[in-house]
Amino acid sequence: MTHRIRIRHGWEVAEREVTDPELYLRRREFLGATGALAGGLVLGACGSSESEAAGAEGAPARRADLGPWDTDETPTSREDATRYNNFYEFGTGKEDPARNAGTLRTRPWSVAVEGEVARPGRVALEDLLKPHAREERIYRLRCVEAWSMVIPWLGIPLGEVLKRFEPTSKAKYVAFDTLLDPEQMPGQRRSVLDWPYREGLRLDEAMHPLSLLATGMYGEDLPNQNGAPLRLVVPWKYGFKSIKSIVRIRFTAEQPYTSWSYEAPSEYGFFANVNPEVDHPRWSQKRERRIGEFRKRPTLPFNGYAESVAPLYAGMDLRKHY
Amino acid sequence: MDTKRLRGALPRLVVAVGVVPALALVVGALTDRLGANPIETVTHVSGEWALRWLLASLAVTPLRRHLGWTALAPCRKPLGLLAFGYATLHLATFVGLDHFFDWRSIAEDVLERPYVTVGFAAFLCLLPLAVTSTRGWQRRLGRRWTRLHRLAYVAAIAAVLHYLWLVKADLLSPLVHAAILGGLLASRWRTPRAETP
């Protein structure tokens, strides 16, 4: 109970606070410098991000003051974050998506909203984003394969978007589909997974202020291989929950189909919360390799966001609901 | 160059080609071109080549017997040693780079994770084969040498299982290797035992 109160408090303070613009700018310089050191190629991309962030779709990015969620960890180099991807729609190799995702057409783009909502329909991407201010959030990303990154996302809180469609009292879950189009997504010509890729969250997870609907990263619009033009970012769950290139949002009463949990139910659960105590049947989840680092580091419960999200799972056996 | 000299040069040629992937890893490491996760790259490349050279070494005898490619016979040993070399690099990467000599977590992986267990078993099968690969050991062991070196098949089966068990969803590459191994095993099955060299 005390936990809950402390979290609320932190969040409310964060909303009232005004971000110090000078601090914001200095963080940018830091980002640029890190990118240049690590990659040598990305200085331009990061250095000019201020204008690009504002020029990209939606309202100008503002830096959300995340309070207890914020991290001063060094972001992964943009080069690594955009060339080392799991996006089987463009091939199962880590570098396949960066090579093959050029065929994806991200404009025009629309999202179908269906199911237990008062206001279903098809929404153009621009209309979906328009009412919201784009925020920058630096989140840890932990892949189920035991590697991790730190990524500065640009996005809008998922819950605020979902609320606009007015979910009915029957809505308990929200499901997401990736685009299904083997023409644009050559990886879908092979039945590696049961396409389209599908993911889902319990509605309270989706409404949690940490859940982000991202449209950009590193101050720019999302590259195709990172899930352009619209993807989920749920930082306390394994990366495969953060579905990419979303074309459908469906509110359901029952727990929806989710790709990996049906592909291999003993290995991937519906919840897929980052949990060092519950190993993948084939490998350990106790530690992770942060991309760019040599030694592995310990994996934190809920990927370090336990204080904010653990109450969502109060009373649940996380060994059973992995 | 006459055919005899060409035949004599063939094993050396095999070694020269065989070390290329390892050299590429060294150059890649020195020039930072092993991708975002270099340790994973070294692990995958060394493991894949260990399996490929092992299958190549097992293909020598069937090719000689069924297609009459006798010139390949002297290549069996360098191919087998290449397989062992890449397997050693693979294991060393696992121990030194992936686990950074954390013996407890290494033991945990080997004992608790079937795909690591069979991978380790494959290496243990190759070890005595590499040690007894010399002419001296071959003479000393006589008929037992042949029997001992059938362990190469056990190693290959374990290595393919290791590969099949570790991939997430895309089984294509492990299945291709499994099919090749299946073909090699089938070609041995049909051969009467007396003929084995």
Side-chain angles (χ1 to χ4, degrees), chain A residues 84 92 145 190 282 295, chain B residues 37 40 115 165 167-168 170:
Chain A
Y84 189 80
T92 53
E145 296 165 1
R190 285 182 55 211
R282 290 182 285 150
R295 297 284 297 271
Chain B
N37 195 345
E40 184 187 68
Y115 88 91
W165 271 344
V167 296
K168 253 169 86 191
D170 189 357

Side-chain angles (χ1 to χ4, degrees), chain A residues 80 83-84 86 88 92 94-95 144-145 190 192 260 263 268 279-284 286-287 289 291-292 294-296, chain B residues 32 34-37 39-40 96-100 102 105 108-109 112-115 164-172:
Chain A
D80 283 347
R83 70 171 170 172
Y84 189 80
N86 278 329
Y88 283 11
T92 53
K94 289 284 184 292
E95 299 191 358
V144 75
E145 296 165 1
R190 285 182 55 211
V192 179
W260 279 107
E263 175 73 21
Y268 313 99
D279 284 345
H280 185 280
R282 290 182 285 150
W283 57 80
S284 167
K286 288 187 190 71
R287 295 184 310 140
R289 172 160 295 113
I291 295 301
F294 178 62
R295 297 284 297 271
K296 286 186 184 169
Chain B
D32 193 18
L34 296 180
N37 195 345
I39 295 172
E40 184 187 68
L97 299 182
D98 196 27
H99 283 278
F100 204 74
D102 181 346
S105 73
E108 216 176 83
D109 260 5
E112 287 177 18
R113 315 202 187 284
Y115 88 91
L164 274 169
W165 271 344
L166 67 86
V167 296
K168 253 169 86 191
D170 189 357
L171 292 170
L172 182 65

Side-chain angles (χ1 to χ4, degrees), chain A residues 44-64:
Chain A
C46 288
S48 61
S49 57
E50 205 61 35
S51 54
E52 272 163 287
E57 79 215 9
R62 78 180 146 86
R63 177 93 171 92

Side-chain angles (χ1 to χ4, degrees), chain A residues 57-58 106-109 123-131 164:
Chain A
E57 79 215 9
T106 57
R107 296 291 185 282
W109 193 274
V123 193
L125 180 63
E126 295 70 26
D127 299 329
L128 186 78
L129 303 175
K130 207 178 288 166
R164 280 166 52 202

Side-chain angles (χ1 to χ4, degrees), chain A residues 77-128:
Chain A
S77 82
R78 184 185 184 280
E79 192 195 5
D80 283 347
T82 56
R83 70 171 170 172
Y84 189 80
N85 309 106
N86 278 329
F87 199 173
Y88 283 11
E89 283 80 346
F90 297 104
T92 53
K94 289 284 184 292
E95 299 191 358
D96 289 346
R99 243 194 318 269
N100 302 332
T103 47
L104 176 66
R105 295 186 301 272
T106 57
R107 296 291 185 282
W109 193 274
S110 64
V111 178
V113 179
E114 304 169 354
E116 303 292 345
V117 275
R119 306 179 56 203
R122 185 168 280 281
V123 193
L125 180 63
E126 295 70 26
D127 299 329
L128 186 78

Side-chain angles (χ1 to χ4, degrees), chain A residues 161-173:
Chain A
V161 179
L162 296 184
K163 265 184 243 162
R164 280 166 52 202
F165 304 113
E166 296 168 18
T168 68
S169 59
K170 280 189 203 150
K172 295 285 178 285
Y173 296 88

